Amino acid sequence: MKNLILNQKDIFIEQLLELLKIPSISADPQYKNELRRTALWMQQALKDIGCDKTKIYDTAGHPVVYGEIMVSEKAPTVLVYGHYDVQPPDPLELWESPPFEPVIKKTTLHPAGAIFARGACDDKGQMFMHLKAVEMLVKTNALNCNVKFVIEGEEEVGSDHLEAFIREQQTMLQSDIIIISDTGINSLENPAITTGLRGLSYMEVTVTGPNRDLHSGLYGGTVANPINVLCEMIASLHDENKRVNIPGFYDEVSIISDEDRKKMNDNEINEKDFKDAIGINAVVGEYGYTTLERRSIRPTLDVNGIWGGYTGEGAKTVIPSKAHAKISMRLVPHQNWVEISRLFEDHFKAIAPQGVKVEVTTHHGGGAYVTPTDSIAYKAAEKAYEQVFEIKPHSKRDGGSIPIVPMFEKVLGCKTLLMGFGFDSDAIHSPNEHYGIENFLKGIETIALFYPNFEDLFKKN
Ligand code: BES
Ligand code: MN
Ligand code: MN
């Protein structure tokens, strides 16, 4: 398999570069047609690898691309999920090369080269590995599982319309395991299978004071300034131990045994490297937890953006009428995102001082997810990683979110296996996003080996 992939590698990369050139920015309505163009490109790519059935499903948002290869009714079925949409590339001026003109460059962590482009790692590059792995199996007559591809275009904006799609297409989507490559590993020397994702609850708040912006000399000192108030309210959302200060926030948080915590911390990355990579001189977070725990098994609250008043050139003396902030909470198993959004809203309104009005809206959310490590799918993946990397992969819980994963379990009753190959340093959502060629090729190989391993264990079970 390895040689087969290496022989094709230039073609695979060429195809991926083509996909990366389409600006499929789901958040920006201006790019609606580009998303459709990407969906059509994906459909053709699915046909090219041998899907007997492909279809574009229109939704109230961006289209979902579906493809399937059925080899036998008795064979196990693998559902592959990925997303073809990408994050906005801003700020553009910080890109060393334009985000939709992919280039290959060597870096310290990617001595064999990395592809620089928006979506290279999240998720076009990782999603494309699945198509190429299946293509190799088809070409060698070695595909012994049925495969169903669901590639969506709204992951980066909360997968709002995908739930309706999977509810409507439940029968078509029946499968024995869902596999996704949209998460990360620490290094190629010490690979990991991701066993958990955090949930998310994304809120927006507006604090309104006077009915118009006021002269800060005439009115300063007599009215509540919405920006001052918003800052005080936000500051009060954490206590002195950096715990989230919302009544009920921790009520349902699942507790992890000391033994499991110890095991998980064995794979903690070097703290100096962690700090150096992002240019900070100290880590900060919830008292009593390690950095690894703080970014995987603990819930958090962060302001993503805050604005109001005068932010233009020079100075303007003004008391703003309004202040706004976008606030997200990362959640862990058993926290219900709808309930957490409600707790946030109630609390935020309750702490509003006199003289202002507070509005709270929920953008989107999703639950956390933990996958079992004693399943045949996990064992099949573990074996595939061992075959490719010559070391047993550890399991790790990630801090990011893929909202549809818990939904898949709820609606389809199917577990998900997270076989991601990105590095934290690959700059997903940031300028100069990239994905290592080595990660890409090893990923294809691991995925291709997963299928026969899975079929084998499935048969024996
Ligand atoms: N691929 C990421 C999620 C991710 C990245 C999980 C790295 C684990 C490790 C995904 O595309 C993403 O960015 N998700 C969003 C959520 C969405 C609702 C915008 C996130 O985590 O912020
Ligand atoms: Mn992603
Ligand atoms: Mn993303």
Side-chain angles (χ1 to χ4, degrees), residues 83 122 155-158 182-184 197 200 330 364 398 400-403 428-429:
H83 61 95
D122 184 10
E155 197 278 340
E156 298 294 7
V157 287
D182 196 19
T183 53
L197 296 164
L200 181 72
R330 293 285 169 176
H364 55 235
D398 265 342
S401 312
I402 307 177
I428 63 171
H429 294 207

Side-chain angles (χ1 to χ4, degrees), residues 67-140:
E68 69 177 35
I69 306 181
M70 301 303 273
V71 297
S72 141
E73 233 160 64
K74 285 192 217 99
T77 302
V78 176
L79 189 149
V80 176
Y81 164 86
H83 61 95
Y84 67 79
D85 66 320
V86 303
Q87 284 279 328
D90 319 77
L92 276 175
E93 64 278 12
L94 295 183
W95 283 79
E96 281 167 25
S97 55
F100 299 104
E101 292 171 30
V103 293
I104 297 174
K105 279 190 296 192
K106 290 192 168 79
T107 73
T108 326
L109 289 174
H110 296 295
I115 304 173
F116 282 74
R118 172 56 90 230
C121 176
D122 184 10
D123 178 39
K124 285 172 173 170
Q126 294 212 61
M127 169 267 282
F128 199 57
M129 299 185 308
H130 287 266
L131 274 75
K132 297 298 108 179
V134 170
E135 178 179 32
M136 291 297 98
L137 293 169
V138 171
K139 272 201 171 147
T140 52

